[in-house]
Each structure stands twice: as structure tokens, then as C-alpha cells.
Amino acid sequence: MKLSELLHGIKHTVYGDDTVEISDLSYDSRKVKKGDLFFCISGYATDGHEYAHQAVKSGAAAIVVTKLQEELQIPQVLVKDDRQAMAECAARFFGYPARKMKTVGITGTNGKTTTTYMIRNIAKKAGMKVGLVGTILNMIGDETVQTERTTPESVDLQRLLKRMVEEGCDLLVMEVSSHSLYLKRVYGIEFDVGIFTNLTQDHLDFHKTWDEYVKAKSMLFEQSCISVVNVDDDSAANMISAAKGEVMEYGVMHSTQYSAKHVELKPDGVSYDLEFTAKSLHIDMPIPGMFSVYNSLASAVAALALDIGDYYIEQGLKEMKPVNGRFELLDTRGQQYSIILDYAHTPDSLENTLSTIREFAPGRIVTVFGCGGNRDMGKRPQMGEISARYSDYTVVTSDNPRYEEPKAIMEQIEAGVKERGAKYICIENRKEAMKHAIKTAQKDDIILLAGKGHETYQEIKGVKHDFDEKIVVQEIFDELKIRRR
């Protein structure tokens, strides 16, 4: 594709020959190939302009800049917004793949991952081939592709969507993070359905203020034809006011268009009637907790918006299996206590998980958790207080400390635990913390390993060390000589 064709409709100024052929797109100078268009993205950690020379040396045919690189003798495209230009170019270069599938985008603090899997299950039941983009992994049908961020950069995302189209996907279901909206990774994609799950404190290290966080989330509904909104959440009005098209409201606490009635919370799942326009569906979900009601409700309403039949909605949810690292019951080799693995890493998600466990726990609740470093510090004492409120015993430990000192993070969590005067212990080494909980477990205890969920690493000083808690639990059993009963 010629550079001039790629840039059609995008505000820009070209310095040099705009008829050069572009063979691919890149924003990482280490991956530039001959004929690529290289985007000099002004990032938060580094400035892509610093790597323009390296990109040219590797064979870039042209570069996109926000400040001219006068010493380089190569066609340069000057734009005002580099990320928006990259998103627009990526969509055009890969043939606007999102337009060739039905598309569902899901945003919110909690519930995004599980909701994507529920919609995928419903759609598969209806005979559709589904592409999924999410925190844990990306999927094309039943093929899995690992991912490093919730929503890939626009070039990677559009490349992936093109592949989904080529492999016959009818539906795209994707998590849309606040980061990706603010950084315009999904700019230019018009979603058939946008879903809002909920909003609680998270990512204030990035967005700085609550209002900025809310505004970033609401951007999804500016580019959604139908907005499916949880009206029980305090931020629902913000999402509704941003919506450009039809709004479908759902809730449990408020009577609204799509309401969950006759809710039953059971140890092995939930059931309720989804009532709307003089009609109802009966929903049975084999995943316990009030959050399962909300996630399945959002999924069902989105499926209705996509004109998927009632039978497929009911059966797709009824046959739903737990998502990796989301309220997942681990193998305890027949011991008389349980271990639940959950990604709960925000105050709201930790409270949801613990309150659900409290509903059916026959014995003590022992919570093992920490908080990530170089992230929102304000939530640390809050999560400590929540753990102390719902747990009989809290083991404060390290999560992904990144470049922070683990002890400093733990002290902030500990301050919240102390507010409740609850029983707790601080053990910095996460494996030793888990080992302590298992070694001291009593009959009927439920041990919650919170915060890491699906993650298979622990990030310390910029290095990711292997740390899959499912594997670590089995290693601890071996070390303690706990054999299968």
C-alpha cells in the first residue's frame, strides 16, 4: 500500500515522497523490517523519536512523527496525535477487520474477563465462531494466543482482528481497559455492543483522579451502537450520558429494563429470572456469588442485543465453567480444607470474593494477599481493612512489587488490617506465606489466594520470575509431604 493511500482521511503533513510503498506497520524499533512505516510514539517511559535512527537503519520506508527529525533523509509524516494516527493507519492497513464481525467491547473495574467468557460460551452454543481479546489470553475459536496487556496496541490489535476474520470468526468479544481507551488503542472501532460492568478504585496511579478514570471508561460508549449499562453502579449515569446510541439498562437492586428477579445465591452457583418486556429467561449459573449474577446478566443482555436466541443464552450460561484464576477451586489432594484462587486485586473485587466465601464457609476464612508495586497506593489500606473484616486470619504478603520495596507495600496494607484489630501475620516471601496458610490450615477452612489469579509470574525489580500459584500449591504439598487421600 502506498503511503498516500494509507494516510487518506488522516490529518497530516508529509515531508518527502508520499508514494513509497509500505509493507507493514511497526512502533517497536527492534522489530522494524525493510519497507515498514515506523510510528515514533511519545510514550510515558520512552519517546519513540529517540529510536527513529534505529528504525531507519533497519529499513523503515517512512516514519510518523509529532516533531520532525531534520537530520533524517526519509519521508516523514507529521501528525498532531501519534496514537490516533497509528490506530487509523492500522485499521486501514489491515482492511478494517472489525467491520467484518459483530463486535462486543466490555469495560469496568471488575468482571470484564468472566463476562467475555460468558458471552463467548453463549455465542459458541449458538454456532458462532468467536474471537476473544482479554487479560488472560487471546483466542481465535479454540486456539489460544498469549497476551501481555488487556488490550493490545492498535497495530497488534488490528493485525489480530484481521487474522480472526481470515479464520472465519463471526463475533469479536474483547475487554477494553481504561488505559486502551485513553491511549486510543481501540480508536476507530465501532462496537456493535459496549458493556459497562462497574467502577471502583483502581489505576489511579495512571489516571491520577477519579473523574479522569470515569471519563476514560465512558469513552467506550461514544463508539458503541448499543450500550449495555449496569444501573446499580454509581457511575452508570456517566456511561449513559456518553452513549451515542441505544442504551439497554440492567440491574438487580433497581427495577429497570432488564432486571434479575428471584435471585438465589447457593454454594455451587446462582439462579434468577431475567425479566424484560413482559418476558423472562431463567438463568442458572454454576459459579457462586453476587458478582456472577451481574456478570451473567450483562452477558445475557448483550446476547439479546446481538439477537442470539433465548435457548442459547440459558444453555450457554448453564454450562459455563470457572475461568482460569477467577474463583477457581484448586486441587488439595483430598484434604479437609479448600483453596480458592482468585484475581481479586482491587478493594471491590476482594470484598466481592470474600463476601461470597463468607456466605458458605463452614470454617475459617484465611486470606493470603498483597498489592502490586508502582500502582495505586490508596487501595492498599482499604484492601487490608476488607480482608480483616471478612477473614478470620489474614496473611499479608508480596504480590508483584515491581520496583517498590515489598515491606513498604505490606506496611500500608497492615495499617488497614490493624484498624479492625484482626488476627494477621506478615510474611514477605509469597511462597512462604502460602505455605504458612496451608501448614496451619484447620478442618473446613477456606484459604483464599487473592491478587494473582491467572498470572504465572511474580515481577520483582523488572524481572518476571516463574510463579504459577497452582504449581506452587502442589510444590508446597510435596514439601510438607501431603499425599493424596
Side-chain angles (χ1 to χ4, degrees):
M1 182 181 289
K2 292 188 185 301
L3 180 60
S4 57
E5 296 174 45
L6 186 59
L7 296 170
H8 182 72
I10 298 173
K11 291 183 179 180
H12 70 281
T13 304
V14 176
Y15 293 82
D17 182 9
D18 68 353
T19 65
V20 295
E21 284 290 334
I22 301 301
S23 58
D24 205 347
L25 310 181
S26 180
Y27 59 90
D28 186 338
S29 61
R30 296 166 297 183
K31 299 178 181 179
V32 172
K33 306 178 299 298
K34 184 176 175 59
D36 283 5
L37 175 62
F38 176 68
F39 293 87
C40 299
I41 300 298
S42 302
Y44 288 87
T46 59
D47 185 345
H49 293 82
E50 296 175 8
Y51 303 96
H53 286 83
Q54 184 179 331
V56 172
K57 189 176 179 180
S58 297
I63 58 175
V64 177
V65 299
T66 53
K67 45 195 175 189
L68 286 173
Q69 305 299 295
E70 296 180 1
E71 69 279 13
L72 293 178
Q73 302 302 310
I74 187 174
Q76 296 186 45
V77 182
L78 183 66
V79 298
K80 185 176 181 181
D81 189 326
D82 50 8
R83 287 188 174 276
Q84 181 172 317
M86 184 165 73
E88 291 179 295
C89 285
R92 180 181 291 275
F93 185 82
F94 292 108
Y96 299 101
R99 297 178 183 177
K100 300 169 185 175
M101 300 178 280
K102 289 289 185 180
T103 53
V104 178
I106 305 169
T107 199
T109 307
N110 303 309
K112 296 188 296 296
T113 298
T114 303
T115 303
T116 59
Y117 278 81
M118 289 180 179
I119 295 172
R120 175 177 179 267
N121 225 44
I122 292 168
K124 282 183 67 179
K125 198 72 184 173
M128 302 173 78
K129 185 170 183 177
V130 185
L132 183 147
V133 177
T135 304
I136 300 175
L137 43 74
N138 300 326
M139 301 187 77
I140 300 176
D142 293 324
E143 179 189 353
T144 62
V145 183
Q146 293 300 323
T147 183
E148 289 190 4
R149 47 170 67 100
T150 302
T151 312
E153 287 287 1
S154 56
V155 171
D156 301 324
L157 176 61
Q158 295 291 345
R159 193 189 309 277
L160 176 62
L161 300 193
K162 181 186 179 184
R163 186 177 159 195
M164 289 179 178
V165 171
E166 291 173 343
E167 297 194 22
C169 288
D170 308 293
L171 173 68
L172 164 68
V173 184
M174 67 181 294
E175 297 181 48
V176 185
S177 67
S178 57
H179 291 70
S180 69
L181 288 159
Y182 182 80
L183 297 174
K184 301 189 176 179
R185 292 174 186 159
V186 294
Y187 184 87
I189 296 177
E190 183 178 68
F191 291 93
D192 291 289
V193 180
I195 300 174
F196 171 65
T197 58
N198 52 66
L199 211 59
T200 60
Q201 183 171 340
D202 197 19
H203 301 308
L204 296 191
D205 55 301
F206 179 84
H207 295 290
K208 305 307 178 189
T209 68
W210 175 258
D211 288 344
E212 286 184 18
Y213 184 39
V214 173
K215 184 177 180 182
K217 289 290 190 185
S218 69
M219 291 168 68
L220 174 62
F221 306 102
E222 296 171 3
Q223 54 192 89
S224 297
C225 297
I226 298 175
S227 297
V228 174
V229 178
N230 173 14
V231 294
D232 288 348
D233 191 272
D234 291 341
S235 297
N238 299 84
M239 309 304 149
I240 291 170
S241 65
K244 74 163 188 176
E246 179 186 353
V247 176
M248 298 172 73
E249 301 178 357
Y250 71 93
V252 179
M253 307 303 293
H254 298 85
S255 289
T256 186
Q257 289 173 284
Y258 298 86
S259 297
K261 300 292 185 181
H262 316 117
V263 175
E264 286 187 56
L265 303 176
K266 300 168 285 188
D268 59 348
V270 300
S271 67
Y272 61 92
D273 294 321
L274 166 52
E275 296 186 353
F276 59 101
T277 56
K279 181 180 177 182
S280 72
L281 301 181
H282 184 70
I283 305 298
D284 275 309
M285 269 286 303
I287 303 173
M290 196 65 190
F291 56 85
S292 285
V293 176
Y294 279 101
N295 293 341
S296 59
L297 187 54
S299 304
V301 175
L304 290 168
L306 293 169
D307 293 323
I308 294 176
D310 298 356
Y311 171 79
Y312 304 118
I313 295 171
E314 291 176 336
Q315 291 303 308
L317 292 173
K318 188 175 183 179
E319 296 172 16
M320 183 70 192
K321 295 178 181 178
V323 178
N324 181 24
R326 265 64 175 180
F327 215 87
E328 184 177 2
L329 198 62
L330 301 189
D331 177 11
T332 57
R333 302 187 180 183
Q335 301 305 300
Q336 292 183 302
Y337 52 81
S338 303
I339 301 177
I340 293 175
L341 179 65
D342 194 83
Y343 188 51
H345 65 290
T346 66
D348 186 62
S349 60
L350 183 62
E351 183 163 12
N352 285 339
T353 300
L354 283 170
S355 62
T356 296
I357 294 173
R358 178 53 70 194
E359 289 168 3
F360 62 80
R364 300 185 310 160
I365 298 176
V366 178
T367 301
V368 182
F369 88 104
C371 290
N374 303 107
R375 297 292 187 269
D376 183 4
M377 294 183 182
K379 68 182 183 182
R380 295 171 186 173
Q382 293 180 32
M383 293 179 68
E385 188 277 329
I386 290 167
S387 180
R389 189 179 350 140
Y390 287 96
S391 309
D392 298 282
Y393 187 47
T394 295
V395 183
V396 179
T397 187
S398 183
D399 192 299
N400 293 320
R402 299 184 177 88
Y403 289 96
E404 280 194 71
E405 288 300 321
K407 285 184 179 177
I409 299 172
M410 291 166 64
E411 285 173 2
Q412 291 174 310
I413 298 171
E414 186 181 9
V417 178
K418 284 181 175 178
E419 282 183 29
R420 286 268 161 182
K423 293 180 180 179
Y424 75 97
I425 189 172
C426 294
I427 302 175
E428 182 179 327
N429 182 289
R430 192 173 180 95
K431 181 176 180 179
E432 289 303 315
M434 294 165 61
K435 191 173 186 177
H436 171 76
I438 292 170
K439 193 174 182 178
T440 59
Q442 301 172 14
K443 182 178 180 293
D444 293 332
D445 277 0
I446 295 180
I447 299 171
L448 172 65
L449 305 178
K452 296 192 65 60
H454 64 280
E455 293 180 350
T456 57
Y457 62 86
Q458 189 172 27
E459 187 177 344
I460 304 169
K461 301 295 183 185
V463 179
K464 288 185 176 180
H465 303 268
D466 289 342
F467 200 89
D468 184 331
E469 295 198 330
K470 295 179 191 177
I471 295 173
V472 173
V473 165
Q474 297 307 313
E475 289 175 350
I476 291 170
F477 282 163
D478 289 341
E479 291 169 12
L480 296 176
K481 294 182 171 52
I482 297 174
R483 294 180 172 82
R484 190 170 300 281
R485 289 191 172 190

